[in-house]
């Protein structure tokens, strides 16, 4: 664990920090994980006789920072940095100690100065490592109602992980290794770069100065105001003072990046920064950022408050991107796009990530959650706004085709007992990191989409704008959002127009159900949405049709061996439905356990949750499912492609909780032979392939092969129709990319033959032949099946010119059947020179999916657990993706026992991780699923050969 690292002092001679720095001439750096400050007169460690004066994880509230003056001087040769922080604070009650955050900083001097012209008095420094806190002990008490300046000088090592102020490297085309330093602070790593009040509610202004060599360039949140030459080999850049903001949004980079720039319609300068050799891949991101920033300024009606917005591609980066105000940072693959080489999925991905980070400039940066328990206010919103913005700025990407996928992703973890409410209490850094999950992001965005659909887009937007305007430069809780949205809603029944149905505020269009709305009542957004944010999971609505009466019942959907009872769970569900007689969407707010809707006439079928805009699933009793399966068979286009995808998802979810037999779900899939739209096809594959994988692992007497043949035959016509080119819309190209990879990896001969042909040609040309971007992955994957092909791919992977295709090649290399090669990939990912360590999490998961590699991946995880946690941090999504990805296909009792045994042998913090609970629950579900359904699937396949 990074926080508990017990590193000794650096070996060898102490590196000297560049001369003239902060008056600390050649201070030797010896930084161990558990060193206190140096034992000089001004600092002491909490191991000395003085007890640390504070005993809570959260900081006291009576010392409030107003402004930070930071001077940071990194040395990219010794990989160390020195800093001074002068923090102006105001005190609200008398105190003798100031508590703030610091982690792995060696404080060399600290003083407290009263007022602006007061005398600076030296302060003693204590450190409390378990809480990552530092205390400054004042010689005489700080008085209430007065302002003070805290001055702290310190030294530190550049971080070796991906958070704090960390080292990143890259090679030039000529093979020269270059070093840069960049920051990533969210959620709790600003304290690794400078002492600070590192909680989101302590907003302040920041004045940053950075010292660098003349050959480097420094970037921070604001533009440079002036540069001063300290001496011939040292420049000090002064950046403008920021607006009032949280510590986790501060950023700085010292590098030799190149940039391109444009000015937006509203006059903001946008620049994209990359390593020099890749600046030719920056144009797409620059144009997208200009469009998106203009869109958001118009949509929110609030100007972007900074003069510039930089987007920087960092060679080593753990997550996808980070929304630092005015200096957003990205993994290279999330920002760079090569029109010749990059696939359609890359274009979609880059656009969505930029849209996400720029949405944060309002949701998150301008208005910030008060504490990490409400992280979803940042992330759910940014995720939701990606769709709102990109559907307008880049309509050709058809992002609406993909919204459903994220709700299905969220439901997968939210159905487990180990899930958590969207808003949930957290305290320590590992718990805070665990909040960055599918529930905060995906579920957050899905419930916002449901609310917008319910309130209408205009009313919803007006509420958002009111919220952002009211709380600019402040911090909020979830209820502040609901209150802003409630107040926008005029009272139902006071205005003639509102009674016409779809007026400003939604009311029931069901004349017979008018009793559900009382005239004059305001729609209580908070009462409704609290049911979605304060309880975990989601509802299952059971529909029983009796003549014209539709009986409804809701309960919590829970899968699992030890599933608790769902009593006590109740949601306010904005139901929508269409029927065989009317494709007009009808609406009905269900606020009780059971209810009845009376239709104007009897119908042949009814479909609830239209387009899956609601975050709930639906079960149809009696012959309800048969009727829906029948329309899919006879004419599936009667309902929308989103409705078809949601039926596929729901039917398999209902099998899991024993509401339907597996044969019913397989009956429904038969129609997929005629499906041509991306969402239902993808959903069909997402349900069927994992079942095949479970069977493939379980020595199932050939049933796995029968299932594989069934899946291939289901999509065979669609696969045969694919051209091996980059033609068509983004959705068509994405579908082609996935279908060809699937067909080739499932050894569908026509696909394999064609891919082999392409690979041979490509190899003959020594990699110079240009392959269509969307078929590359399939071609590489087939090529990597031979030892010679694998080695050739690896030789290309190492070249700078193939950097855009790095992830495609990694995937292909992970399909090898050679255990040695798979082991080598993971080992290299950990070493980080040929394969970047940032890519290790997905490489381990790729290897785990490979029948030849799933045991290797588990052994690798066990043997390298400490190193993985040190690099990626306990609680991070990277660690969670490895744990759940490696174990997700396990389905035997011995595998379950191994997983439980390994994690319970670790210290408590690791054993208690939510991803460990998710992994255990998933294996238990897999065991139960196979016990219950294997024979039935086998029988069904024998009776239904395509």
């Amino acid at each position: 664990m990074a926080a508990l690292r017990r590193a000794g002092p650096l070996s060898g001679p102490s590196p000297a920090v560049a001369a003239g720095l902060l008056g600390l001439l050649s201070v030797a750096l010896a930084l161990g994980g558990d060193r206190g400050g140096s034992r000089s007169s001004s600092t002491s460690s909490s191991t000395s006789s003085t007890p640390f004066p504070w005993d809570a994880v959260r900081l006291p509230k009576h010392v409030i920072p107003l402004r930070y003056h930071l001077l940071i001087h990194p040395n990219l040769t010794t990989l160390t940095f020195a800093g001074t922080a002068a923090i102006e604070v105001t005190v609200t009650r008398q105190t003798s100690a100031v508590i703030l955050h610091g982690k792995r900083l060696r404080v060399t001097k600290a003083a407290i100065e009263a007022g602006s012209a007061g005398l600076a008095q030296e302060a003693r420094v204590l450190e409390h490592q378990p809480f990552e806190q530092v205390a400054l002990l004042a010689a005489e008490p700080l008085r209430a109602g007065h302002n003070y300046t805290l001055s702290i000088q310190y030294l530190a090592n550049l971080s070796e992980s991906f958070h704090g102020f960390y080292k990143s490297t890259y090679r030039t085309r000529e093979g020269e290794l270059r070093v840069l330093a960049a920051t990533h602070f969210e959620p709790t790593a600003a304290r690794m770069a400078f002492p600070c009040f590192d909680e989101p509610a302590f907003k302040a202004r920041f004045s940053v100065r950075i010292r660098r060599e003349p050959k480097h360039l420094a970037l921070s949140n604001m533009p440079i105001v002036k540069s001063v030459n300290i001496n011939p080999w040292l420049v000090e850049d002064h950046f403008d003072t920021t607006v009032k903001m949280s510590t986790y949004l501060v950023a700085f980079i010292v590098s030799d990046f190149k940039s391109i720039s444009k000015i937006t319609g509203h006059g903001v300068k946008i620049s994209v920064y990359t390593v020099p050799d890749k600046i030719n891949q920056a144009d797409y991101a620059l144009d997208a950022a200009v469009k998106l920033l203009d869109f958001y300024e118009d949509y929110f009606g609030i100007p972007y408050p900074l003069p510039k917005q930089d987007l920087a591609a960092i060679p080593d980066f753990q997550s996808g991107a980070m929304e630092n105000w005015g200096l957003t940072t990205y993994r290279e693959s999330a920002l760079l796009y090569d029109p010749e080489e990059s696939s359609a999925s890359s274009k979609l991905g880059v656009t969505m990530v930029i849209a996400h980070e720029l949405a944060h400039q309002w949701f998150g940066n301008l208005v910030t959650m008060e504490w990490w328990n409400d992280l979803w206010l940042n992330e759910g919103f940014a995720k939701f706004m990606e769709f709102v913005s990109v559907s307008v700025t880049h309509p050709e990407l058809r992002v609406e085709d993909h919204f459903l996928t994220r709700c299905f992703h969220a439901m997968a973890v939210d159905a487990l007992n180990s899930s958590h409410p969207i808003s949930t209490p957290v305290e320590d850094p590992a718990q805070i990191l665990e909040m960055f999950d599918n529930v905060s992001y995906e579920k957050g965005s899905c419930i916002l989409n449901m609310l917008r659909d319910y309130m209408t887009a205009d009313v919803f937007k007006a509420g958002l704008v009111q919220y952002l305007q009211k709380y600019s430069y402040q911090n909020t809780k979830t209820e502040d959002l609901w209150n802003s949205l409630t107040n926008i809603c005029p009272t139902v029944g006071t205005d003639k127009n509102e009674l016409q149905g779809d007026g400003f505020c939604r009311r029931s269009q069901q004349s017979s159900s008018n009793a559900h709305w009382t005239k004059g009542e305001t729609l209580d957004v908070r009462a409704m949405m609290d049911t979605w944010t304060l309880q975990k999971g989601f509802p299952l609505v059971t529909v029983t049709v009796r003549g014209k009466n539709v009986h409804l019942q809701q309960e919590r959907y829970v899968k699992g061996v030890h599933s608790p009872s769902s009593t006590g769970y109740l949601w306010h569900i904005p139901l929508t439905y269409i029927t065989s007689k009317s494709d007009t969407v009808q609406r009905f707010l269900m606020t009780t356990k059971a209810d009845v809707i009376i239709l104007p006439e009897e119908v042949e079928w009814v479909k609830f949750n239209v387009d899956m805009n609601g975050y709930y699933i639906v079960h149809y009793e009696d012959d309800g499912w048969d009727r829906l399966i029948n329309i899919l068979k006879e004419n599936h286009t009667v309902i929308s492609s989103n409705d078809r995808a949601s039926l596929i998802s729901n039917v398999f979810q209902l099998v899991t909780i024993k509401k339907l037999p597996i044969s019913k779900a397989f009956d429904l899939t038969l129609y997929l032979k005629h499906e041509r739209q991306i969402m239902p096809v993808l959903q069909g594959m997402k349900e069927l392939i994992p079942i095949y994988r479970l069977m493939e692992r379980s020595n199932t007497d050939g049933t796995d092969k029968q299932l594989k043949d069934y899946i291939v035959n289901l999509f065979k016509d669609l696969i045969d129709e694919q051209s091996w080119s980059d033609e068509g819309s983004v959705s068509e190209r994405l579908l082609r990319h996935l279908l060809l990879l699937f067909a080739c990896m499932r050894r569908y001969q026509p696909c394999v033959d064609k891919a082999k042909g392409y690979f041979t040609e490509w190899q003959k040309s020594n990699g110079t032949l240009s392959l269509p971007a969307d078929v590359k992955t399939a071609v590489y994957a087939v090529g990597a099946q031979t030892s010679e092909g694998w080695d050739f791919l690896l030789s290309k992977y190492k070249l700078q010119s193939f950097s855009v295709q790095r992830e495609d090649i990694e995937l292909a290399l992970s399909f090898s059947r050679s255990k040695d090669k798979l082991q080598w990939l993971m080992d290299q990912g950990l070493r980080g020179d040929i394969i970047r360590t940032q890519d290790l999490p997905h490489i381990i998961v790729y290897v785990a999916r490979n029948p030849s590699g799933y045991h290797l991946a588990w052994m690798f995880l066990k043997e390298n657990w400490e190193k993985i946690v040190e690099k990626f941090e306990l609680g991070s999504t990277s660690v969670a993706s490895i744990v759940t990805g490696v174990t997700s296909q396990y389905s035997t009792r011995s595998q379950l026992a191994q997983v439980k045994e390994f994690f319970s042998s670790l210290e408590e913090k690791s054993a208690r991780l939510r991803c460990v609970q998710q992994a255990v629950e998933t294996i238990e579900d897999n065991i139960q699923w196979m016990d219950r359904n294997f024979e039935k699937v086998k029988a069904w396949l024998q009776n239904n050969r395509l």
Side-chain angles (χ1 to χ4, degrees), residues 326 351 389 463 540 543 598 612 647 697 732 856 920:
T351 317
S389 59
L540 161 64
V543 174
I598 300 161
M612 180 102 189
L647 286 176
R697 300 286 151 87
E732 285 164 346
L856 294 176
V920 167

Side-chain angles (χ1 to χ4, degrees), residues 106 117 165 202 346 355 542 569 633 707 868 892:
R106 188 169 142 228
F165 190 22
F202 286 118
S346 166
T542 300
Y569 282 84
K633 267 192 190 133
L707 177 55
I868 289 169
T892 67

Side-chain angles (χ1 to χ4, degrees), residues 426-491:
V426 286
E427 276 225 314
D428 67 51
Q431 292 171 338
I432 291 168
L433 269 174
E434 284 194 301
M435 288 298 284
F436 290 77
D437 68 355
N438 275 357
V439 173
S440 295
Y441 285 67
E442 264 81 358
K443 180 178 179 176
S445 67
C446 293
I447 66 163
L448 288 169
N449 182 55
M450 172 171 73
L451 181 59
R452 181 173 78 147
D453 181 61
Y454 175 68
M455 293 179 75
T456 70
D458 291 345
V459 177
F460 180 75
K461 175 178 166 179
L464 292 193
V465 169
Q466 182 170 296
Y467 167 78
L468 289 171
Q469 284 172 340
K470 182 173 180 182
Y471 296 108
S472 289
Y473 304 105
Q474 296 177 58
N475 295 77
T476 56
K477 299 185 171 84
T478 295
E479 57 257 36
D480 297 322
L481 174 66
W482 301 150
N483 293 338
S484 294
L485 286 163
T486 296
N487 296 339
I488 211 78
C489 246
T491 309

Side-chain angles (χ1 to χ4, degrees), residues 539-553:
L540 161 64
V541 176
T542 300
V543 174
T544 314
V545 180
R546 296 267 181 275
K548 288 198 290 191
N549 292 4
V550 180
H551 295 260
L552 305 167
Q553 230 172 332

Side-chain angles (χ1 to χ4, degrees), residues 447-662:
I447 66 163
L448 288 169
N449 182 55
M450 172 171 73
L451 181 59
R452 181 173 78 147
D453 181 61
Y454 175 68
M455 293 179 75
T456 70
D458 291 345
V459 177
F460 180 75
K461 175 178 166 179
L464 292 193
V465 169
Q466 182 170 296
Y467 167 78
L468 289 171
Q469 284 172 340
K470 182 173 180 182
Y471 296 108
S472 289
Y473 304 105
Q474 296 177 58
N475 295 77
T476 56
K477 299 185 171 84
T478 295
E479 57 257 36
D480 297 322
L481 174 66
W482 301 150
N483 293 338
S484 294
L485 286 163
T486 296
N487 296 339
I488 211 78
C489 246
T491 309
V492 172
T494 54
D495 180 312
K496 291 276 185 291
N497 300 338
E498 271 160 44
L499 297 173
Q500 305 308 312
D502 259 17
F504 231 177
C505 260
R506 270 280 148 73
R507 57 187 292 287
S508 168
Q509 296 164 358
Q510 209 47 55
S511 52
S512 56
S513 307
N514 263 349
H516 288 274
W517 296 91
T518 342
K519 286 198 173 173
E521 111 184 292
T522 303
L523 289 187
D524 191 342
V525 174
R526 182 172 172 186
M528 169 177 155
M529 295 310 289
D530 276 353
T531 69
W532 297 94
T533 55
L534 300 179
Q535 47 188 1
K536 65 183 176 184
F538 54 88
L540 161 64
V541 176
T542 300
V543 174
T544 314
V545 180
R546 296 267 181 275
K548 288 198 290 191
N549 292 4
V550 180
H551 295 260
L552 305 167
Q553 230 172 332
Q554 63 159 299
E555 63 193 287
R556 179 179 164 210
Y557 175 95
V558 212
K559 62 184 193 177
V561 192
H562 314 297
S563 52
S565 97
S566 78
T567 48
Y569 282 84
L570 180 73
W571 283 267
H572 289 193
I573 312 172
L575 296 175
T576 54
Y577 61 95
I578 50 174
T579 68
S580 54
K581 294 281 170 71
S582 165
D583 56 6
T584 305
V585 179
Q586 303 294 328
R587 294 174 185 277
F588 179 80
L589 185 66
M590 182 177 185
T591 56
T592 50
K593 277 276 186 208
D595 213 328
V596 182
I597 294 175
I598 300 161
L599 301 175
E601 55 186 320
E602 288 196 21
V603 296
E604 280 171 44
W605 54 264
V606 56
K607 160 77 174 74
F608 273 80
N609 200 357
V610 181
D611 283 340
M612 180 102 189
N613 276 323
Y615 188 72
Y616 59 94
I617 71 168
V618 186
H619 175 44
Y620 302 90
E621 283 282 14
D622 303 333
D623 62 349
W625 273 105
D626 293 334
R627 289 168 180 244
L628 289 166
I629 289 169
N630 214 31
I631 30 173
L632 290 177
K633 267 192 190 133
E634 286 174 6
N635 178 11
H636 62 269
T637 56
V638 170
I639 56 174
S640 72
S641 66
N642 276 3
D643 274 331
R644 301 193 302 267
S646 77
L647 286 176
I648 295 166
S649 167
N650 285 193
V651 81
F652 280 94
Q653 282 173 291
L654 291 164
V655 170
T656 303
I657 57 166
K658 303 186 235 182
K659 293 275 185 191
L660 284 175
I662 185 71

Side-chain angles (χ1 to χ4, degrees), residues 62 64 66 89-93 114-115 142-148:
H62 54 263
I64 299 154
L66 305 170
V89 299
T90 187
V91 175
T92 59
R93 72 158 209 257
L142 281 59
R143 303 191 343 257
H146 289 250
N147 287 9
Y148 295 85

Side-chain angles (χ1 to χ4, degrees), residues 331 807 810 838-847 881-882:
R331 185 179 268 244
E807 289 177 7
E810 283 168 359
Q838 65 170 22
D839 295 342
L840 178 64
H842 64 246
I843 285 177
I844 297 174
V845 175
Y846 289 161
V847 170
S881 69
I882 294 171

